[in-house]
Amino acid sequence: MSYHNPHTPPRKSATFDDATLAEIRRAAATGIYDIRGAGTKRKVPHFDDLLFLGASISRYPLEGYREKCDTTVVLGTRFAKKPITLKTPITIAGMSFGALSGNAKEALGRGATIAGTSTTTGDGGMTNEERGHSQTLVYQYLPSRYGMNPRDLRRADAIEVVVGQGAKPGGGGMLLGQKISDRVANMRNLPKGIDQRSACRHPDWTGPDDLEIKILELREITDWEKPIYIKVGGARPYYDTALAVKAGADVVVLDGMQGGTAATQDVFIENVGMPTLACIRPAVQALQDLGMHRKVQLIVSGGIRSGADVAKAMALGADAVAIGTAALVAIGDNDPKWEAEYQKLGTTAGAYDDWHEGKDPAGITTQDPELAARLDPIAAGRRLANYLKVMTLEAQTIARACGKNHLHNLEPEDLCALTMEAAAMAQVPLAGTSWYPGKAGF
Ligand SMILES: Cc1cc2nc3c(=O)[nH]c(=O)nc-3n(C[C@H](O)[C@H](O)[C@H](O)COP(=O)(O)O)c2cc1C
């Protein structure tokens, strides 16, 4: 006979918590894995776990209103005849037309252009809205080759060869049938209304030697003018960065596991890849070991939200950052003003991530013409430009407080870590000590 103490409250398992139980039941009822958009939702060590030290007597701060703090960045100085110059080191990451509406792509182009930065195409090709409204447009060359053509390579200002993404290193993309409109199908040369799965690896090469040949091909097609980036998901950042440099990259784009995606299996998003914070120092180390730091530029992405995040990524050695999720929020994604509609979809503002279903009330992750028309690309572009301006000002404020007249002059020495994990990953001392795990002595 079992004994139950009536005074003991029922106790739930930490291992089998409510979310786990719900997922087991969902899987048992449907027999299909969960697909969603956005990045990891679990808490991992991040830029919040770092603080700037600021200047006082041993360091001399700069005066905000009188002393300049430069934010410009030049990308593609290694081989490209026409490197690109941006006024702010905050770029807009590649997000596909198909995943996003034409209006959303236009808004990103408009906002980036006002702010003096670049935007990027995605798995699905270049739209005229985006090209027309983006002063500096980076064209992605992806394993799927959807929408790829030499004419658009030449219309771009830079080319990004996508090897992987932080949300799913080793995985391909998904665009479900609901979002394959006539236009999306036409651009991808695939039938309308049928689920599309992008390849997880490029059909044209198997390793860095063939990648080098592919890059030469892309350079020939574009007359050696355009900077060529290589984008990798954060998994083995030291070796991937070194191999990207060997293959001939002008710029390495490194996307950590917090990086957003349009649609991927939840189990993939939550269990594959390394936190952005842990990716930066090994990548910088690889560049330094090859004598290429600042010669091959490093763009970091995955969970960047504020000027403080930008400044921290740069202090750890990045030349620039890219934002995806935050840019979508700035143009109107998950806006509480659509709460009644999020409720009808069984979710709430701030948690809506079924982007693959194409029912986005904000008109951003949809191809439904009525929903897409809700997003005014001009007003949304202005919001993005405002947000980029604020982030740039924030990063400048921090850099000046550290006595730096350019964001690139921020350095690991300007930082301390709040936790042992962050200290180990960022290789900056735990606050109040001169030590981090892995470093000998105190
Ligand atoms: C809606 C959406 C669509 C995306 N589509 C692509 C894509 O087509 N190609 C790609 O390389 N990355 C894609 N990404 C990933 C972004 O380029 C970037 O790596 C990521 O969003 C950065 O992290 P963040 O969202 O935390 O800023 C997508 C991300 C989102 C949110």
Side-chain angles (χ1 to χ4, degrees), residues 93-96 99-100 122-123 140 142 162 165 231 255 258-262 301-304 322-325 328 355:
M95 293 182 275
S96 68
L100 301 186
D123 205 356
Q140 284 199 330
L142 293 112
V162 179
Q165 265 179 253
K231 175 175 179 176
D255 192 30
Q258 293 100 316
T261 174
S301 59
I304 303 246
I323 57 167
T325 307
L328 298 186
W355 299 345

Side-chain angles (χ1 to χ4, degrees), residues 305-346:
R305 308 147 297 175
S306 65
D309 291 349
V310 176
K312 289 171 188 175
M314 294 185 70
L316 294 178
D319 294 274
V321 301
I323 57 167
T325 307
L328 298 186
V329 174
I331 65 172
D333 172 58
N334 265 288
D335 191 327
K337 80 176 177 193
W338 302 110
E339 180 59 21
E341 297 196 34
Y342 289 126
Q343 297 273 337
K344 279 190 221 149
L345 295 172

Side-chain angles (χ1 to χ4, degrees), residues 30-245:
T30 63
I32 51 173
Y33 47 52
D34 188 23
I35 297 175
R36 67 169 176 86
T40 185
K41 296 195 175 188
R42 68 159 75 203
K43 189 166 165 49
V44 294
H46 198 32
F47 295 118
D48 293 334
D49 301 312
L50 299 181
L51 296 175
F52 280 99
L53 296 172
S56 51
I57 298 179
S58 63
R59 301 281 186 288
Y60 200 62
L62 298 188
E63 189 59 70
Y65 292 98
R66 279 186 283 137
E67 288 166 313
K68 201 168 150 44
C69 176
D70 200 349
T71 61
T72 50
V73 58
V74 185
L75 300 168
T77 50
R78 186 184 185 194
F79 291 128
K81 279 197 241 168
K82 292 189 178 168
I84 60 177
T85 301
L86 307 177
K87 285 190 194 150
T88 171
I90 310 161
T91 65
I92 306 300
M95 293 182 275
S96 68
F97 170 68
L100 301 186
S101 64
N103 277 354
K105 291 299 279 175
E106 177 178 335
L108 295 174
R110 285 177 179 274
T113 300
I114 299 170
T117 190
S118 62
T119 188
T120 314
T121 64
D123 205 356
M126 186 187 283
T127 65
N128 284 335
E129 289 97 318
E130 192 176 32
R131 177 61 281 187
H133 293 287
S134 303
Q135 195 180 345
T136 307
L137 181 61
V138 183
Y139 183 55
Q140 284 199 330
Y141 183 80
L142 293 112
S144 68
R145 301 204 201 107
Y146 290 149
M148 207 316 270
N149 66 70
R151 193 177 59 96
D152 286 340
L153 281 172
R154 293 193 198 104
R155 287 167 79 201
D157 300 293
I159 295 159
E160 183 168 299
V161 177
V162 179
V163 174
Q165 265 179 253
K168 47 183 175 187
M174 288 182 183
L175 192 66
L176 300 195
Q178 299 93 309
K179 291 174 83 172
I180 318 285
S181 63
D182 284 324
R183 187 177 176 201
V184 173
N186 193 28
M187 282 179 69
R188 296 183 184 220
N189 288 329
L190 285 166
K192 182 183 174 184
I194 309 241
D195 292 355
Q196 295 179 6
R197 281 168 189 266
S198 321
C200 64
R201 55 173 203 250
H202 283 262
D204 303 358
W205 70 82
T206 51
D209 295 329
D210 326 357
L211 177 55
E212 196 171 342
I213 297 169
K214 189 77 212 171
I215 286 179
L216 282 175
E217 208 176 273
L218 294 171
R219 290 204 191 274
E220 289 296 328
I221 294 172
T222 55
D223 198 20
W224 288 74
E225 284 182 351
K226 327 273 177 189
I228 300 198
Y229 306 4
I230 296 184
K231 175 175 179 176
V232 293
R236 293 179 182 82
Y238 181 90
Y239 293 111
D240 286 342
T241 302
L243 290 172
V245 171

Side-chain angles (χ1 to χ4, degrees), residues 272-297:
V272 183
M274 284 221 298
T276 306
L277 190 64
C279 292
I280 306 176
R281 293 306 294 277
V284 171
Q285 189 64 53
L287 293 171
Q288 286 169 342
D289 288 351
L290 294 167
M292 284 293 176
H293 191 217
R294 307 288 186 214
K295 293 183 187 150
V296 167
Q297 287 79 35

